[in-house]
Amino acid sequence: MRNEEGEIVRNKQVILKDYVTGFPKETDMLLKSDATLKLKLPPQGSNINNAAVLVKNLYLSCDPYMRILMSKIDSPNEVFTFYSPATPIFGQGVAKVIDSAHPEFSVGDLVWGMVGWEEYSLVTKPETLFKIHHTDVDLLKNKFGFNEAFNYKEESNYDAALKRYFPDGIDIYFENVGGKMLDAVLLNMRLHGRIAVCGMVSQYNLEPPEGVTNLMEIIYKRVELKGFVVFDYYDKYPKFLDFVLPIIKEGKITYVEDIVEGLENAPAALVGLFSGRNVGKQLVLVAKE
């Protein structure tokens, strides 16, 4: 469904100034306030994809993998599209459809997917957007329900800490840290344990990355270690919602969000991921519809 209006508005954007080495800084990004956008798609047949969707961004997600995309690469990458200096960065977000040339999206629909770090985004790959059908789920739970926890910053020996809390070993480990933590986990895996590898946040800012010295444990304990990226499973998203939403409503899965307001605060929120500034999932509130 198309939007018949064509108001021209300012479109604030968070721009990557240059490629990043080491830990990212707020000054690696720039808030651009002079860009403009027409709130109506160009006529079909123009240079714009005939299935494009124009959205107003409501929430932006800050994720550690975005640091990887700030690096300069010498060869193509099959998983990620990297950022280019002097252009807006992008990531996952929640948005409202302003105009659409795609039959599956109508004006007013709420969607999530890959959008720019800006107030409005023109999405030319609508397959990266997903319509939000469920809006009656509680947004915040305050009890995680973990049996044990420790602060890695207060532990000088990760191996000893893991043995303290997992005296019988670890069956399943979700890997999102890497480095010394992964090394310690390998020492504590149980026979035929499984490790799902989604990220290695401790390594994104290191040049060169740390090595892992206990890989022989994978052989000794016949550990299954497998990497994955979420993009490979987008086709299963509807089935996932059917499964997870009832569990969230029952309070069996809980989560916490750390929300900062304003696109101008987005760089600080993203950088804060690497110093532990956030508590819970870091989001940026761009607009309240």
Side-chain angles (χ1 to χ4, degrees):
M1 180 183 296
R2 299 297 304 273
N3 171 26
E4 298 304 324
E5 299 179 5
E7 179 185 2
I8 296 178
V9 297
R10 290 191 179 276
N11 187 27
K12 292 181 182 177
Q13 300 172 315
V14 175
I15 304 294
L16 180 68
K17 292 172 66 176
D18 202 352
Y19 294 115
V20 175
T21 57
F23 280 82
K25 306 180 295 296
E26 293 180 44
T27 53
D28 291 323
M29 292 163 275
L30 171 71
L31 183 68
K32 183 179 179 181
S33 302
D34 58 354
T36 60
L37 182 77
K38 188 174 184 179
L39 298 184
K40 188 177 186 302
L41 290 174
Q44 293 194 9
S46 63
N47 293 331
I48 299 300
N49 187 325
N50 286 337
V53 181
L54 180 65
V55 301
K56 178 180 181 179
N57 293 319
L58 306 179
Y59 288 90
L60 300 175
S61 174
C62 297
D63 296 291
Y65 80 86
M66 298 172 72
R67 165 60 187 87
I68 301 175
L69 308 187
M70 295 178 172
S71 301
K72 185 176 182 179
I73 61 167
D74 299 321
S75 57
N77 184 287
E78 295 181 356
V79 177
F80 297 117
T81 299
F82 283 66
Y83 302 144
S84 298
T87 62
I89 66 176
F90 49 83
Q92 298 289 341
V94 173
K96 185 175 183 179
V97 175
I98 300 298
D99 196 8
S100 173
H102 194 284
E104 293 185 12
F105 299 102
S106 299
V107 174
D109 282 348
L110 291 177
V111 297
W112 72 270
M114 195 64 68
V115 297
W117 273 37
E118 52 194 354
E119 292 179 299
Y120 299 89
S121 291
L122 177 62
V123 181
T124 57
K125 295 181 178 179
E127 63 272 16
T128 66
L129 291 180
F130 299 88
K131 192 180 298 186
I132 298 174
H133 297 284
H134 305 271
T135 58
D136 59 344
V137 182
D138 290 339
L139 295 179
L140 188 64
K141 301 286 184 179
N142 293 314
K143 294 182 179 180
F144 287 109
F146 290 116
N147 294 103
E148 298 287 354
F150 66 87
N151 187 340
Y152 74 96
K153 295 180 181 179
E154 298 176 356
E155 299 287 346
S156 59
N157 187 323
Y158 295 159
D159 180 31
L162 291 171
K163 282 183 168 59
R164 187 163 70 245
Y165 293 111
F166 301 94
D168 297 325
I170 299 170
D171 291 295
I172 299 174
Y173 174 57
F174 180 81
E175 170 60 298
N176 213 13
V177 179
K180 295 181 176 64
M181 184 63 73
L182 175 58
D183 241 356
V185 167
L186 288 172
L187 292 173
N188 289 274
M189 292 299 296
R190 295 186 68 177
L191 194 66
H192 300 295
R194 291 175 290 165
I195 301 177
V197 185
C198 180
M200 294 192 176
V201 66
S202 69
Q203 305 303 296
Y204 297 161
N205 302 307
L206 302 183
E207 295 186 10
E210 293 175 331
V212 178
T213 62
N214 294 321
L215 291 175
M216 285 297 292
E217 296 293 320
I218 298 175
I219 300 173
Y220 299 151
K221 298 171 181 174
R222 280 81 86 194
V223 172
E224 181 181 354
L225 186 150
K226 183 176 181 179
F228 74 93
V229 291
V230 67
F231 316 126
D232 292 341
Y233 301 94
Y234 275 167
D235 62 315
K236 294 178 173 58
Y237 179 65
K239 184 179 293 186
F240 168 74
L241 283 183
D242 292 339
F243 169 77
V244 77
L245 286 177
I247 299 176
I248 294 176
K249 292 178 180 179
E250 294 170 12
K252 295 180 179 179
I253 292 181
T254 61
Y255 62 93
V256 168
E257 296 168 331
D258 190 329
I259 302 176
V260 301
E261 294 194 21
L263 193 61
E264 65 276 9
N265 294 314
L270 179 58
V271 170
L273 294 179
F274 301 99
S275 61
R277 190 185 306 169
N278 59 301
V279 177
K281 172 62 184 175
Q282 184 67 71
L283 299 171
V284 178
L285 173 61
V286 181
K288 297 180 180 179
E289 294 195 58

